[in-house]
PDB file of all heavy atoms in Angstrom:
ATOM      1  N   GLY A  15     -29.496 -11.176   4.129  1.00  0.00           N
ATOM      2  CA  GLY A  15     -30.706 -11.205   3.357  1.00  0.00           C
ATOM      3  C   GLY A  15     -31.853 -10.358   3.921  1.00  0.00           C
ATOM      4  O   GLY A  15     -32.632  -9.705   3.133  1.00  0.00           O
ATOM      5  N   SER A  44     -25.763 -10.454   0.603  1.00  0.00           N
ATOM      6  CA  SER A  44     -26.319 -11.851   0.537  1.00  0.00           C
ATOM      7  C   SER A  44     -27.516 -11.776  -0.469  1.00  0.00           C
ATOM      8  O   SER A  44     -27.888 -10.810  -1.000  1.00  0.00           O
ATOM      9  CB  SER A  44     -26.985 -12.251   1.930  1.00  0.00           C
ATOM     10  OG  SER A  44     -26.001 -12.306   2.910  1.00  0.00           O
ATOM     11  N   GLY A  47     -33.702 -11.562   1.071  1.00  0.00           N
ATOM     12  CA  GLY A  47     -34.699 -12.252   1.975  1.00  0.00           C
ATOM     13  C   GLY A  47     -34.300 -13.737   2.129  1.00  0.00           C
ATOM     14  O   GLY A  47     -33.335 -14.062   2.480  1.00  0.00           O
ATOM     15  N   GLU A 203     -25.244 -19.294   5.437  1.00  0.00           N
ATOM     16  CA  GLU A 203     -24.856 -18.186   6.252  1.00  0.00           C
ATOM     17  C   GLU A 203     -23.366 -17.694   6.053  1.00  0.00           C
ATOM     18  O   GLU A 203     -22.863 -17.091   7.036  1.00  0.00           O
ATOM     19  CB  GLU A 203     -25.214 -18.377   7.687  1.00  0.00           C
ATOM     20  CG  GLU A 203     -26.701 -18.859   8.012  1.00  0.00           C
ATOM     21  CD  GLU A 203     -27.757 -17.925   7.498  1.00  0.00           C
ATOM     22  OE1 GLU A 203     -27.402 -16.645   7.515  1.00  0.00           O
ATOM     23  OE2 GLU A 203     -28.904 -18.340   7.156  1.00  0.00           O
TER      24      GLU A 203
HETATM   25 MG1  LIG B 502     -28.990 -15.169   4.521  1.00  0.00          MG
END
Side-chain angles (χ1 to χ4, degrees):
S44 301
E203 306 299 330

